[in-house]
Amino acid sequence: MIGLISATAAGAAARDRLAAAWPDRTRVYDGPVADAVRRAFAECEQLVCFLATGAVVRLIAPLLGDKVSDPGVVCVDEGGRFAVSLVGGHGGGANELAREAGELLGAEPVVTTATDAVGVPGLDTLGLPVEGAVAAVSRALLDGEPVALHNESGWPLPPLPVAGEGAYGIRVTDRLVESSEREVVLRPPTLVVGVGASKGAPVDEVLELIEGTLREAGLSARSVAGLATVDAKAGEPGIVAAAERLGVPLITCSAEELAAVAVPNPSAAPLAAVGTPSVAEASALLRGGELLVPKRKSARADGAPAMATCAVVRRPARGRLAVVGLGPGARDLLTPRAKAELQRASVLVGLDQYVDQIRDLLRPGTRVLESGLGAEEERARTAVEEARKGQAVALIGSGDAGVYAMASPALAEASDDIDVIGVPGVTAALAAAAILGAPLGHDHVSISLSDLHTPWEVIERRVRAAAEADIVVTFYNPRSRGRDWQLPKALAILAGHREPATPVGVVRNASRPDESARLTTLAALDPATVDMMTVVTVGNTATRDIAGRMVTPRGYRWQEGTR
């Protein structure tokens, strides 16, 4: 939760803008400012104070503990010109909050964290638990001193300004190692702990077994990616609570899946109880990996029978492919998740014009592989090949990457030897609909009129089906210099089932600086005014022009009541 505090009318106006934009993320704190700051500091993960930085410094000084647990604090000046990340830039998320608040308020984000200021990645922003001499190694990176990278696990990382050798180091490992005063240790999520338990097994017994097993094996609990068990134990309180205390997900598998896994220590007891000869070892090994610690039983002080078992597997490092939708073009329609994936990538693959849109968001050192129009399959193959080399790859496309974009060709190339993450984006149809009003308020369909990848006979059949079903239609790729007859043909098909006055929305370059939009009718639309940068939305028999806005009601009762 983000606490919002203001002292003046001008501050309250800006505060209310944030509260309205983020209703589920924010809480307004009223009353005396000092009391409001104290309450928000204790109750929220982040604060935005619409006060002078000096005043906020004096108010929060007695409240500060450490940068790991303190909330991130952002100050916005009375004029709404600057959003200053004051404390908790990385750990508290204040740097990103300053950027987000700045975008909404039209304020310039002010970030003074050294690594952010000069474009060096913060070691505590890489998405992995970090230990050791973070300040010393960060300072070495800032000073341009050679910092060696020892990536024992081969885990895919964002670009880092590292050298082969150096007095300072970054070690990526799941092993318990003593870091020196010049070394940072990053903990990759490589370990899966399989857990079995009798009914009613105490959480302390389960947790002590897991932590003791990891410690004796020389492994870090911070590298545990999840606990795994059989479906029948998905609600076992001791296992559920152990996962919660470790801060990892609980992964469940069916007994049939586990019974098919070859294990070194099968047993009749779990076979009789839950239908598989192994729970701990089999659940840990189900997705592959190296069995580091075979099944172990818990030890009870009273000598009673053990109630828990565990086994530890190290999963191999896999390349990572994020398929990222950039939205229709406007920066404020690029999602925070998309930005995070762009920052995480060591390799970016995309169409050159899309790369230009987000080049400033990439970390220094990101390798960019760009190409021109018409090379979709080549880009997909390149992205998958880079991921198979163990890289963290972002493959970008406009709108949503799964809608007429790069996700389909990429997933057709990919197999189960890499991790694939889909990042949704705002589609052109949605961006155009928001500009037009509410044309997609009922059932709707998107159809591309390009016959480059789809035979026209198939496209025409789909248009006829939409026309006969009285569905709102959004046409992508409606017309180009080499394809000037498809749109008139499609409109003629729709005209056979809809009135000439049916509203049609035409939006060009939705959300971009040269955006244009107009509302016309099925009879009046001139296809010659449409090009490849245009989205055409044709209403159904219920769609209406209301005060210059295109509206499709959610139900037909509304239509009947307005006649």
Side-chain angles (χ1 to χ4, degrees):
M1 187 61 66
I2 303 171
L4 305 179
I5 302 104
S6 63
T8 67
R15 175 202 68 192
D16 292 344
R17 288 172 61 191
L18 277 192
W22 299 335
D24 299 326
R25 297 176 60 191
T26 56
R27 181 186 303 158
V28 173
Y29 285 80
D30 292 316
V33 171
D35 291 341
V37 169
R38 278 194 293 271
R39 285 186 288 123
F41 200 92
E43 297 170 0
C44 297
E45 291 82 21
Q46 296 173 320
L47 280 68
V48 179
C49 300
F50 296 87
L51 305 163
T53 53
V56 178
V57 167
R58 287 190 292 272
L59 290 170
I60 68 172
L63 309 175
L64 294 173
D66 63 76
K67 67 178 185 178
V68 175
S69 58
D70 287 339
V73 179
V74 171
C75 292
V76 178
D77 67 287
E78 290 288 302
R81 298 170 300 165
F82 303 103
V84 182
S85 173
L86 190 64
V87 297
H90 288 163
N95 290 352
E96 183 56 32
L97 180 59
R99 296 184 181 101
E100 287 188 79
E103 284 187 12
L104 279 171
L105 300 173
E108 179 71 23
V110 179
V111 175
T112 58
T113 309
T115 51
D116 293 78
V118 299
V120 174
L123 297 174
D124 52 355
T125 68
L126 300 181
L128 301 178
V130 59
E131 304 168 6
V134 175
V137 176
S138 296
R139 188 166 52 249
L141 290 170
L142 289 168
D143 291 342
E145 296 190 40
V147 176
L149 175 64
H150 306 284
N151 192 348
E152 296 179 4
S153 67
W155 200 259
L157 295 171
L160 293 169
V162 293
E165 296 182 0
Y168 294 84
I170 300 170
R171 185 186 301 269
V172 186
T173 182
D174 57 22
R175 296 185 300 109
L176 285 176
V177 294
E178 289 291 333
S179 59
S180 71
E181 61 183 14
R182 294 188 170 193
E183 185 179 53
V184 160
V185 178
L186 298 175
R187 299 296 187 187
T190 53
L191 305 177
V192 177
V193 180
V195 182
S198 303
K199 185 175 181 180
V203 60
D204 289 341
E205 181 173 345
V206 176
L207 199 57
E208 286 173 9
L209 171 64
I210 294 170
E211 293 178 335
T213 298
L214 291 169
R215 186 169 52 252
E216 291 175 23
L219 300 169
S220 171
R222 301 188 77 186
S223 279
V224 174
L227 301 189
T229 192
V230 67
D231 285 344
K233 296 296 179 179
E236 186 63 45
I239 297 177
V240 173
E244 290 175 350
R245 290 196 195 178
L246 289 168
V248 299
L250 180 61
I251 306 160
T252 58
C253 328
S254 69
E256 292 77 15
E257 288 178 299
L258 299 186
V261 178
V263 297
N265 299 293
S267 171
L271 180 61
V274 294
T276 174
S278 172
V279 172
E281 291 178 340
S283 60
L285 283 167
L286 183 61
R287 306 303 177 200
E290 176 188 3
L291 183 63
L292 300 180
V293 183
K295 180 178 70 175
R296 291 189 52 175
K297 296 182 178 181
S298 57
R300 310 193 74 187
D302 57 5
M307 297 188 73
T309 61
C310 81
V312 183
V313 164
R314 176 184 286 139
R315 62 179 185 177
R318 291 155 60 94
R320 189 175 192 277
L321 173 60
V323 188
V324 181
L326 301 180
R331 178 58 61 86
D332 60 353
L333 293 182
L334 178 68
T335 68
R337 188 181 301 180
K339 291 180 183 178
E341 288 296 343
L342 295 175
Q343 289 275 298
R344 183 168 182 167
S346 58
V347 179
L348 182 88
V349 181
L351 180 67
D352 47 14
Q353 63 189 48
Y354 298 151
V355 172
D356 290 340
Q357 290 179 21
I358 48 82
R359 198 182 296 272
D360 63 302
L361 297 177
L362 304 177
R363 291 186 186 271
T366 302
R367 187 155 54 94
V368 177
L369 305 175
E370 55 188 311
S371 53
L373 286 168
E376 288 86 357
E377 288 79 9
E378 178 188 342
R379 286 195 291 275
R381 284 193 295 271
T382 297
V384 171
E385 288 169 3
E386 290 294 327
R388 286 184 174 138
K389 295 175 185 176
Q391 301 288 343
V393 182
L395 174 62
I396 60 173
S398 66
D400 181 286
V403 179
Y404 303 125
M406 293 304 303
S408 294
L411 296 187
E413 291 286 339
S415 55
D416 62 358
D417 57 345
I418 60 174
D419 292 329
V420 179
I421 297 89
V423 182
V426 178
T427 66
L430 295 178
I435 295 165
L436 294 169
L440 309 183
H442 207 291
D443 296 338
H444 54 274
V445 63
S446 296
I447 298 177
S448 171
L449 294 183
S450 171
D451 54 4
L452 181 63
H453 298 289
T454 306
W456 173 253
E457 293 74 15
V458 174
I459 297 172
E460 182 174 344
R461 188 164 65 246
R462 291 170 180 173
V463 174
R464 290 189 184 281
E468 294 169 1
D470 196 31
I471 295 175
V472 175
V473 182
T474 297
F475 289 124
Y476 279 69
N477 306 312
R479 184 177 181 274
S480 67
R481 279 179 290 187
R483 292 187 302 99
D484 59 0
W485 59 268
Q486 287 92 340
L487 179 59
K489 177 66 174 177
L491 294 174
I493 293 171
L494 293 174
H497 298 266
R498 301 179 193 182
E499 296 295 328
T502 299
V504 176
V506 181
V507 180
R508 188 177 190 278
N509 284 330
S511 88
R512 298 182 182 181
D514 54 348
E515 167 191 296
S516 64
R518 69 184 189 277
L519 187 57
T520 182
T521 66
L522 190 54
L525 175 62
D526 179 4
T529 63
V530 172
D531 62 14
M532 284 288 287
M533 306 303 294
T534 307
V535 172
V536 177
T537 301
V538 182
N540 65 11
T541 58
T543 305
R544 293 291 180 268
D545 177 345
I546 301 176
R549 300 182 184 93
M550 187 175 178
V551 180
T552 302
R554 292 180 63 186
Y556 283 80
R557 292 180 183 175
W558 180 91
Q559 176 190 7
E560 294 169 358
T562 59
R563 288 177 175 173

